[in-house]
Amino acid sequence: MPTTAYPDPTREKLLDAALIHVVFDGWGPETFTSAVTDSGVSEALAKVAAPRGSVDLAAAYHKRGDREMVAALEAADLSEMRFRDRIAHAVWIRLQSVDREVVRRGMSLFSLPIYAAEGTKLVWETADAIWTALGDSSNDVNWYTKRATLSGVFASTVLFWLGDDSEGFVDTKAFLDRRIDDVMQIEKAKATVRGNKALSAMFALPNAVLSMVKAPAGVGRDDVPGTQSGTQTAGGASE
């Protein structure tokens, strides 16, 4: 995704300077002012790099976490893992790539009505980054349903993690496993429907309509700036 793969250097410099203030002051205007002062970036350039101030820095922090997760997944050998375990591993890596208190402050920001849509978009981008890194090649309605389902799993896991006081966050890991197991049950139910002639006939019309839904233009192409070149396996090899 362009906004994830190509971070703005000035915004990243401001973000680095802001992080020390976020835990105490949140993602508010005071943090942005301090970041401009501490980073040495001129006020005029800072406003170009982050026109909404700390809101843009909070979004940049989320995207940074996505980049670090993707890099870790591409460097890992997940070939011996079941696919559901690869997804759980990806979510767990994503949690480890960020500071919990900084994320807590970000959740407070993106829960505000004015920024809620952007918060949802950022979670969707994380789900998309995970599926892409794990080699998803769907180009129909499944492209959307996979990301929507994983967005729900990821968001609920983050909320649980923020309140988890267990050693090594073992309770969060167990919660994540349960959420993924729930999703797998849905997939099994869908397979049952496809394998049942009566049920398949019942859902023939809805399925025909859904078959016309396609993934966004550019997905899986290598001639569009900012898109992936082919699909990636868990080990990073193109398929």
Side-chain angles (χ1 to χ4, degrees), residues 24-235:
F24 303 102
D25 300 325
W27 292 104
E30 298 85 1
T31 291
F32 186 72
T33 299
S34 297
V36 173
T37 301
D38 295 350
S39 67
V41 174
S42 69
E43 185 175 349
L45 185 56
K47 288 182 178 179
V48 171
R52 297 178 301 167
S54 288
V55 176
D56 286 326
L57 299 187
Y61 184 72
H62 185 99
K63 295 172 188 292
R64 177 184 287 182
D66 286 348
R67 291 194 302 274
E68 292 181 2
M69 173 196 67
V70 169
L73 288 174
E74 290 178 345
D77 180 7
L78 308 180
S79 59
E80 299 300 319
M81 285 188 180
R82 295 178 299 169
F83 198 81
R84 55 95 57 220
D85 294 331
R86 296 182 191 182
I87 295 174
H89 184 65
V91 173
W92 188 246
I93 288 176
R94 182 61 178 79
L95 294 181
Q96 292 181 310
S97 69
V98 291
D99 181 279
R100 189 162 69 148
E101 292 308 312
V102 174
V103 172
R104 193 188 307 277
R105 291 292 192 162
M107 291 289 288
S108 298
L109 174 69
F110 290 116
S111 65
L112 297 174
I114 190 174
Y115 300 127
E118 179 159 5
T120 301
K121 176 177 178 290
L122 290 170
V123 171
W124 179 278
E125 289 182 0
T126 298
D128 180 53
I130 291 173
W131 276 114
T132 301
L134 294 183
D136 176 46
S137 59
S138 58
N139 60 3
D140 53 12
V141 68
N142 288 310
W143 189 91
Y144 298 92
T145 58
K146 287 179 178 180
R147 285 151 182 79
T149 302
L150 184 53
S151 292
V153 170
F154 178 74
S156 62
T157 301
V158 170
L159 286 173
F160 189 95
W161 173 64
L162 290 176
D164 184 9
D165 294 324
S166 63
E167 184 175 355
F169 301 113
V170 294
D171 289 348
T172 297
K173 292 180 180 179
F175 178 87
L176 173 58
D177 285 338
R178 292 195 298 271
R179 296 290 73 76
I180 293 179
D181 285 341
D182 291 342
V183 172
M184 297 306 294
Q185 290 302 317
I186 295 174
E187 292 302 314
K188 289 180 180 179
K190 289 165 62 177
T192 299
V193 170
R194 289 193 295 269
N196 186 296
K197 292 183 178 180
L199 292 176
S200 295
M202 183 184 303
F203 288 99
L205 181 57
N207 286 338
V209 174
L210 291 175
S211 68
M212 294 185 287
V213 178
K214 301 299 179 184
V219 170
R221 292 176 56 183
D222 59 7
D223 60 340
V224 179
T227 58
Q228 298 289 332
S229 178
T231 57
Q232 298 291 316
T233 65

